[in-house]
Amino acid sequence: MSTPELEQALRGAALRVTRPRLAVLTALHGHAHATTDEVLGLVRQQHPEVSHQAVYDVLRALTTTGLVRRIEPQGSVARYELRVGDNHHHLVCRSCGSIADVDCAVGAAPCLTPSEDHGFVVDEAEVIYWGLCRACAAPTVLPTLEPPAERGTR
Amino acid sequence: MSTPELEQALRGAALRVTRPRLAVLTALHGHAHATTDEVLGLVRQQHPEVSHQAVYDVLRALTTTGLVRRIEPQGSVARYELRVGDNHHHLVCRSCGSIADVDCAVGAAPCLTPSEDHGFVVDEAEVIYWGLCRACAAPTVLPTLEPPAERGTR
DNA sequence: CGTGCAATCTTGAACGAGTCAAATGAACAC
DNA sequence: GTGTTCATTTGACTCGTTCAAGATTGCACG
């Protein structure tokens, strides 16, 4: 995704075009499901002066305007991905915390419909599939190496 | 739910029967989706000496043994409910944060199946429906001030 | 019914993701 | 260019949750 495109996206959301914002968008373009801390690290590779707080502010601004989507699986810190407009869901590994995207199983509309809405006006259905990723589900009989190290869980 | 039943549930999970644990289970029985803090308050109504930390420990023990289910909607602190065995999901109000239960829309098995599993071994699908509850979706009429003079949206 | 071990609880401190606030700096409409 | 307003920096702070050490207590066993 080129810089002019990113600028246009920001202007389209009535946001000023700034260096930290472009850097955050670029970082997310290359790293889906990044944490705030990871985004900060990526941004600082290009712009070491960017502050902690700026990344939080930028991510909040982008999230509230819909340019970026925030996900927060249990036990994980917040993660962000570029909103691509489609209604996709997530696979989360209970062991290593890795996340993969999946398209909505039933298409866009039906998965918005609970069986009984209790009077709620529903506008979004969020689905998280929990399980084990290929690596963590593999038999742990690796001859020379240790089983997959645990990451991301506290 | 009576105390003997709760004791049996604890023993069945290989957990010792203690006063804080019985109190937490009782509290959750009467208050679904309670936060840790709310549970602590409820427990202390009967047993004022129970510590902060005990409630955290108890909730973790109950959660890991499956007696209690932990849910963590975006922007909310952790909430707990008695695991009743069924596979139900949640409606969450974006405005006030209230939570309601809904049965799984598609039954138990199908909603476990993403369209493409990326090699993941999925064992659970968690669904959160986001929207507005009946009260928050209602027109914002202030009761004690002047009566509503107009109708329609906005 | 005691005894002993380990699980559990109390107390108190610490951690860390995220937020608040004040002052400086930069976008961009004019 | 200039000025207003939005963004960012800096640094302190909140609050849910966890860690650690020592005191209790459930309960298996004799």
Side-chain angles (χ1 to χ4, degrees):
Chain A
M1 207 177 251
S2 66
T3 301
E5 282 178 288
L6 298 177
E7 287 190 13
Q8 189 136 18
L10 286 171
R11 289 187 214 280
L15 294 175
R16 287 184 182 172
V17 177
T18 67
R19 202 170 284 278
R21 286 177 178 178
L22 290 174
V24 166
L25 286 175
T26 303
L28 288 179
H29 185 245
H31 298 73
H33 315 133
T35 64
T36 307
D37 213 51
E38 288 164 354
V39 171
L40 181 59
L42 290 164
V43 167
R44 283 186 171 164
Q45 287 179 10
Q46 300 299 319
H47 308 286
E49 77 285 358
V50 170
S51 71
H52 181 68
Q53 187 64 359
V55 170
Y56 273 97
D57 285 347
V58 169
L59 286 171
R60 181 170 350 149
L62 296 176
T63 302
T64 57
T65 56
L67 290 179
V68 157
R69 181 171 166 194
R70 174 186 176 124
I71 58 177
E72 232 174 286
Q74 301 233 3
S76 166
V77 299
R79 291 166 180 273
Y80 297 87
E81 63 187 357
L82 288 181
R83 166 79 96 177
V84 277
D86 62 346
N87 177 22
H88 73 266
H89 301 311
H90 295 102
L91 282 160
V92 184
C93 177
R94 288 187 195 280
S95 172
C96 70
S98 68
I99 300 179
D101 291 335
V102 267
D103 291 334
C104 179
V106 215
C111 74
L112 253 180
T113 316
S115 54
E116 157 63 63
D117 65 8
H118 290 267
F120 277 60
V121 180
V122 175
D123 61 63
E124 183 186 349
E126 175 187 2
V127 183
I128 297 183
Y129 296 100
W130 290 93
L132 294 175
C133 70
R134 200 190 308 261
C136 294
T140 56
V141 282
L142 303 178
T144 55
L145 294 177
E146 290 296 312
E150 283 198 25
R151 290 180 40 246
T153 39
R154 276 191 292 154
Chain B
M1 209 179 250
S2 65
T3 300
E5 282 178 287
L6 297 177
E7 288 190 13
Q8 188 135 18
L10 287 171
R11 289 187 214 280
L15 294 174
R16 287 185 181 171
V17 176
T18 67
R19 201 166 281 278
R21 288 178 175 175
L22 290 174
V24 166
L25 286 174
T26 303
L28 288 179
H29 185 245
H31 298 75
H33 315 133
T35 64
T36 307
D37 212 50
E38 289 165 352
V39 171
L40 181 59
L42 290 164
V43 166
R44 283 186 170 162
Q45 286 180 10
Q46 301 299 320
H47 307 286
E49 77 285 359
V50 170
S51 71
H52 184 66
Q53 187 63 0
V55 171
Y56 274 95
D57 285 347
V58 168
L59 286 172
R60 180 167 354 147
L62 296 176
T63 302
T64 57
T65 56
L67 290 179
V68 157
R69 179 171 167 194
R70 173 184 177 126
I71 57 177
E72 234 174 285
Q74 301 233 4
S76 166
V77 300
R79 291 167 179 273
Y80 297 86
E81 63 186 358
L82 289 182
R83 167 80 95 176
V84 276
D86 62 346
N87 177 23
H88 73 266
H89 301 310
H90 295 103
L91 283 160
V92 183
C93 177
R94 288 186 195 280
S95 172
C96 70
S98 67
I99 300 178
D101 291 334
V102 268
D103 291 334
C104 178
V106 215
C111 74
L112 252 181
T113 314
S115 53
E116 157 62 63
D117 65 9
H118 289 267
F120 277 61
V121 181
V122 175
D123 61 64
E124 185 184 348
E126 175 186 1
V127 182
I128 296 183
Y129 296 100
W130 290 93
L132 294 175
C133 70
R134 199 190 308 260
C136 293
T140 57
V141 176
L142 300 179
T144 55
L145 298 178
E146 52 184 286
E150 50 182 305
R151 300 175 41 246
T153 49
R154 280 185 240 232

